[in-house]
Amino acid sequence: MKRYLLLFAAMLVTAGLQAQKTVSVKSPDGNIRFSVTLEEGSFPEYDVYYNDTQLVKDARMGFEFDSGIFGDKTRPGKLLKRSGIEVYDLVVGKSSHVEDPYNEMVIPLEEYNAPFRKVNIAVKVFDDGAAFRYEFPEQENWSSYVMLDELTSFNPDGDPDVLTMFLGSYTTSHEGFYWSMKYSEVPSGELMEMPALYSYDGVYMAITEAAVRDYAGMYLMKESGCLKGKLSPLPGQTEEKVKAELPHKTPWRVLMIGEKPGTLISSDILTSLNEPCKIKDTSWIKPGKTTFSWWNGNEVPDTTFLPGNNFATNKYYIDFAAGHGIDFHSIYGYAEQPWYEDKNMNFEHPAPDANVMRTVKSLDMDAVAAYAAQQGVGLHMWVNWKPLYARLDEALAQFEKWGVRGMMVDFMDRDDQEMIRIQEEILAAAAEHKIFVQFHGACKPTGLNRTYPNEFAREGTRNYECFKWSKDLGADLDVSIPFTRLLAGVTDYHLGGFRAVPVDKFKIQYTNPLVTVTRSHMLGMYVVLECYLGMVCDSPMSYLGQPGFEFIQQVPTVWDETVVPDASVNEYAVVARRNGENWYVGAINNTERRSVSFKTDFLGEGQYVAEIYCDNENTESDPDLLDKKEVRIDRNSVINIEMAGSGGFAIRIMPEK
């Protein structure tokens, strides 16, 4: 992958900071200002502004180590300021090429009492956000640390609107609902997920993190009126959060900022804050779409065999994939029995001696692998992380022999430092065997797809799998995702349900599950969400001859460019993404019928043909109904579409030949 070096030379500010109280750095366009107040004997505090609007006020920085507090007995050293442009290509992402200018400052802090520990505060400000992290340089009197707490806070100024998820504990699959309220109404002592959105008067700010590596994941909690960062503790106890040898550094604490929510959705700030690609040869990394028969219950209608952990069932889905341009077939097992040997026969709680090197007796994996290769379909293997990690290198070598192209690693449900290390270890080891990774039961992404582009998908959302056993999801949850979880990056959602019914006719079906969003909403989700492994979850018979299936076959999973023509928090989102010379537009609506109008000024010159899939006047009574129409447009056109409640639309735009 092509990589570029820093374009602007660093500029060293030679004057010491001892006489300065406040130091600041602005975004290249001048709209965002990040200021740090430094006073000897006090904790550093920072403020963030977007033009005249203050977003963060008097937010503290510091640490509590097992060796004592750091931050209140320090003096600043010489300030380093520099400007640059992050210029890079992405193998997988919302953009294929990024040029992201920034301004940066680094503030050295040193204790004036023994042991004279040193920590640097690094701040980077882009046009669409600001980020800071702490760097622990190698030093004589301090070689390692045990961190009990990171004393970072994110104190919002005033009383903005908040869109956030509350969690019961640090051990979680992150599959919850989002709540809207004023900041003053946020309850104290509740663990809050990131990203969380803060809406001011004409300005939006989302708090999240980037480049979480060899560190604990962070959450938010309101305490004594202040919003504080909380780190996930190491397993088996509650006090110790991070253990490290120096040199070391924390993740970036990120504030995504813009006048429109769409600015945050289209931002590349998270990948810009990550390291360049570590995989030397990326030619084998080919994103695409996959079957996932667990969702539909392994349906094999009109066949002479029973579904199960066998060759015939997998052949049925491989044939469907090969005949309809679907790149991968997922093998997970049958019902609740994994495909590999496990005495517990349990997805979530495998036996200690569960063996991913051996299939169950009914499954001839060599035959399945040979047939899939013959049909040009890649294999994608589900696996619980514990038996996989127990013999990681052996298992990956076996997967590679079978011709496995990817794997879904499931039930991690943690983001403490140990699990963060395990995830990166799995990514690195999988790359050695040319295998992509889809994390399920996992924490949010943090832009690591720049460093490890074989990470194709992450769950961490309450998604359409829940339609198999629950009635409490649908369009209102969907439309909160673009303004929260999607801001962190790739979002796996179990897309492709083609049996839609009105909410009052919905019933729980573990096999052939129903959905409560319209067919057009479902198609729109393939564009609105960022996911490099698109799922085609329903049974083959639910797609054949059905309107809209051709859009699923055509829509890409990686993009050259992303723009957001229109979006309104918790109401609707219209997202446009370019792949090559074609554009795809997706829109999702909440449960209220509405019309949207957007300009197509993101197009290039010339005439285009737009294939539009949208709701019609009868869709609310039969949500599988849609209209397909073709119109000719150019970059000066305006598209007006009415969306049903729980509706949406999808558009494929191609240059006119």
Side-chain angles (χ1 to χ4, degrees), residues 43-44 61-74 109-111 113-121 133-137 139 141-152 214-216 231 234 237-251 253 417:
F43 285 100
M61 298 171 163
F63 297 95
E64 181 183 356
F65 300 106
D66 62 345
S67 56
I69 297 290
F70 179 93
D72 60 339
K73 295 179 175 63
T74 61
L109 297 178
E110 182 176 1
E111 291 178 313
N113 294 329
F116 305 106
R117 296 172 295 185
K118 299 176 183 178
V119 177
N120 299 330
I121 301 173
R133 73 176 176 190
Y134 309 96
E135 299 171 344
F136 307 95
Q139 48 202 280
N141 300 321
W142 196 31
S143 60
S144 64
Y145 69 77
V146 176
M147 186 186 300
L148 304 184
D149 272 307
E150 185 178 318
L151 303 180
T152 300
D214 193 17
Y215 205 83
L231 297 179
L234 286 161
Q237 48 83 63
T238 59
E239 291 189 354
E240 296 179 350
K241 310 303 192 309
V242 179
K243 296 180 179 180
E245 302 288 329
L246 272 55
H248 197 237
K249 53 196 174 188
T250 74
R253 284 45 187 109
Q417 184 186 23

Side-chain angles (χ1 to χ4, degrees), residues 544-597:
L544 301 182
Q546 285 294 307
F549 180 49
E550 68 273 22
F551 182 84
I552 293 178
Q553 294 175 272
Q554 296 159 353
V555 67
T557 63
V558 291
W559 309 99
D560 295 309
E561 185 179 355
T562 296
V563 298
V564 182
D566 196 12
S568 180
V569 176
N570 270 356
E571 292 185 331
Y572 64 92
V574 182
V575 178
R577 302 187 191 268
R578 180 176 64 83
N579 180 282
E581 61 181 5
N582 295 337
W583 283 87
Y584 295 80
V585 183
I588 57 174
N589 188 29
N590 65 9
T591 53
E592 297 181 13
R593 176 179 287 272
R594 78 181 72 248
S595 296
V596 296
S597 177

Side-chain angles (χ1 to χ4, degrees), residues 489-501:
V490 59
T491 310
D492 195 357
Y493 218 77
H494 289 80
L495 297 180
F498 259 38
R499 286 180 295 273
V501 295

